[in-house]
Amino acid sequence: MKFLYDNESFSFEALRAAGYATYGGAELGEVLVTCRLIPDGDEEAWSAQWAATAARVERIGRDALTAGHRVSAREALLRASNYYRTADFYRRADPANDTESARLAKASRLAFADAAALLDVPARAVRIPYEDTTLPGYLFLADDSGEPRPTVLYHGGYDSTLEEAYFALAAGALRRGFHVLAFDGPGQGSAVREQGLHFRPDWEAVVTPVVDFALALPEVDTDRLTLIGTSLGGYLAARAVAFEHRIAACVLHDGVYDVHPTFQAVARTAAETPGGWEAVLAQSVSARWLVRNGLWTLGVPDADGLVEASKAYTMEGLAERITCPMLVLEAENDQFFTGQPQRIFDALTCPKELIAFPESEGGGEHCHEGAVALWHQRTFDWLGTVFAA
C-alpha cells in the first residue's frame, strides 16, 4: 500500500505513524503537513521535521496541562510521544552515541509518561525483575475496581518501544475489558538504550519472569493470561510459549517461524552487488535501517555477524512443544516475513487458527499498519471465543 511516498520504507513508517490516529496517537492533518516537508528518502529531513512537529504538539499539551485542561493535555502528549518515536526511527548510524537520538527517545518516554498519568484509569509504571536487573513496563487497567480480569502480556519486536505499545495494542484491549501488562524486553526501547540489554533468541527467559510478576498482581485473572508479540515478536512470543505453559493463549502478530531468511536475503543481495554491503547499505533505506538497527539491538559488530546471529531465531523443533491455543496473523504484502505465518501455522500441533489480512481490506501491510482497529477486532473476538470455551 503506497502512502505518501514512493520509497517503501518511508511509505510504511508514515502509515505506521498515521495509523495510530485510531487511538489518539496521531492527527491526520499533522501527519500530512509534516510529510509534505520531507523529501522521499531523506532521513535527515525525516528526523528534523517529525521532531519539530513533536515539539509543537508537546507544547500544546504542556500549555493545556498548565491551564488545567486534562483531556486536551493527554491527547496532545500522546501524539507527541508517537511523533518523537517516529523522528528517531532512522537515526541508527550510531544510536548508542547519538545525542539527538537519545533526546528524541527520552522525549517520547516523558511525553507518554505524563499522558499515561492522565488516562481515565492512570497507567502504572512498573519494573519487572529480570536476572540481575529489571525490565520497564506499564500496567494498563480496564477499570479501577481491583477485580481480576483477563490480562494480555504484550511486547513489540525489532524496533518497538514500550510507549508505542499503548497505540499498537493496549488501547484496543482496554476497550474490551482486558488489562494489559506491556514491557520492553532485551533489545527493545529503553532496555537496550539505557541498560545495554540485547536481543536473545531464548525469549522464554524473558517472558517467564514477566509471567511471575503478572500472576502476583491482584488484578490479573490467572487462568486467562494471553501473550501477544508484534513483528519480530511473532517469533519471540512463539518461542516463549513453547516453554512457558502458564499462558492460556497466544497471538502472533504476525507469525514468524524463522528469522534468518529475512537477513539472508539482504546478504545475498550484498554478495551479488559490486561493492558488497557498503554499496547495498548506501543504496537502500530499508537495508540500511535493517542492518544498523540490528547491529545495535543484537550487539553484533558487523553485517555478517548479524546474519549469522539471526540463525538462532527459529522455531524448528520447538513449535510442537506449544500447547496453548494459538492465533497466527498474516499480512498479504508483508515485506519482511513473507510466507512465515503459514510456516509456523503448519508446524503447530496445538489448537490454532490463521487469519489472513488482504490488501483489499487495508490490512495487507506488515503487522497490518493502517488497519489497527481491524486486527484488534479479529484478535480480541478470537480471544473472547477461546476464553468462553
Side-chain angles (χ1 to χ4, degrees):
M1 179 191 303
K2 179 181 174 180
F3 184 70
L4 302 180
Y5 293 103
D6 291 325
N7 182 276
E8 182 181 63
S9 182
F10 268 43
S11 172
F12 179 80
E13 292 306 323
L15 180 64
R16 177 179 176 179
Y20 292 146
T22 300
Y23 298 115
E27 186 85 293
L28 185 57
E30 291 170 347
V31 172
L32 294 175
V33 298
T34 302
C35 287
R36 74 184 183 190
L37 298 174
I38 304 172
D40 205 351
D42 188 332
E43 296 172 29
E44 288 298 322
W46 177 281
S47 182
Q49 294 302 328
W50 278 110
T53 296
R56 179 178 61 78
V57 175
E58 183 184 10
R59 284 194 297 273
I60 294 172
R62 300 296 177 195
D63 290 345
L65 190 59
T66 300
H69 304 307
R70 181 186 179 95
V71 173
S72 296
R74 178 181 67 203
E75 290 178 346
L77 291 171
L78 285 174
R79 301 199 310 278
S81 177
N82 182 35
Y83 297 158
Y84 279 124
R85 178 199 62 79
T86 305
D88 180 52
F89 183 81
Y90 291 110
R91 302 191 69 91
R92 290 297 176 266
D94 185 16
N97 298 297
D98 183 342
T99 57
E100 176 64 1
S101 178
R103 183 189 75 82
L104 293 169
K106 182 177 180 180
S108 179
R109 290 197 302 273
L110 292 178
F112 183 82
D114 290 341
L118 300 172
L119 295 173
D120 292 337
V121 180
R124 186 189 308 169
V126 299
R127 301 295 306 191
I128 302 169
Y130 166 73
E131 297 190 339
D132 58 354
T133 183
T134 60
L135 299 175
Y138 272 109
L139 178 62
F140 299 97
L141 298 176
D143 59 38
D144 57 5
S145 68
E147 293 296 316
R149 286 186 173 273
T151 301
V152 174
L153 308 181
Y154 178 71
H155 59 72
Y158 193 57
D159 64 287
S160 306
T161 68
L162 173 59
E163 295 72 32
E164 186 183 11
Y166 176 77
F167 312 113
L169 187 284
L174 296 172
R175 293 183 180 185
R176 293 166 170 88
F178 287 79
H179 297 326
V180 177
L181 177 59
F183 64 96
D184 273 340
Q188 299 171 329
S190 62
V192 64
R193 184 178 293 277
E194 297 187 352
Q195 298 172 260
L197 300 175
H198 298 116
F199 276 118
R200 55 189 298 173
D202 57 338
W203 202 248
E204 68 277 9
V206 178
V207 168
T208 288
V210 178
V211 173
D212 291 340
F213 183 87
L215 293 180
L217 298 171
E219 299 91 348
V220 171
D221 181 339
T222 58
D223 294 324
R224 293 187 289 176
L225 204 60
T226 299
L227 178 64
I228 300 179
T230 289
S231 192
L232 175 63
Y235 158 76
L236 300 173
R239 166 76 194 221
V241 295
F243 295 89
E244 176 50 76
H245 297 297
R246 291 174 293 175
I247 292 169
C250 180
V251 180
L252 309 183
H253 172 235
D254 289 349
V256 181
Y257 180 84
D258 187 355
V259 173
H260 180 60
T262 299
F263 294 91
Q264 188 179 39
V266 182
R268 188 178 301 113
T269 300
E272 297 170 352
T273 301
W277 279 112
E278 184 177 353
V280 168
L281 299 190
Q283 295 165 9
S284 170
V285 173
S286 296
R288 184 164 57 247
W289 176 85
L290 181 74
V291 170
R292 286 177 170 179
N293 192 69
L295 299 183
W296 181 44
T297 59
L298 273 76
V300 292
D302 54 36
D304 289 330
L306 177 61
V307 176
E308 182 64 26
S310 71
K311 293 179 180 178
Y313 292 75
T314 177
M315 289 300 295
E316 183 176 0
L318 298 174
E320 59 270 21
R321 298 181 58 144
I322 298 173
T323 58
C324 69
M326 298 285 288
L327 175 61
V328 180
L329 305 182
E330 180 177 35
E332 181 180 5
N333 294 334
D334 195 309
Q335 66 267 48
F336 299 109
F337 296 120
T338 301
Q340 292 284 334
Q342 189 67 54
R343 286 189 70 189
I344 183 65
F345 182 79
D346 290 344
L348 293 170
T349 57
C350 58
K352 59 185 179 178
E353 183 171 345
L354 175 70
I355 298 179
F357 290 74
E359 174 77 6
S360 61
E361 293 181 351
E365 293 299 300
H366 176 64
C367 290
H368 326 294
E369 297 295 357
V372 183
L374 184 62
W375 85 262
H376 284 183
Q377 174 258 311
R378 291 176 176 167
T379 294
F380 288 107
D381 289 357
W382 177 83
L383 276 175
T385 300
V386 167
F387 289 145

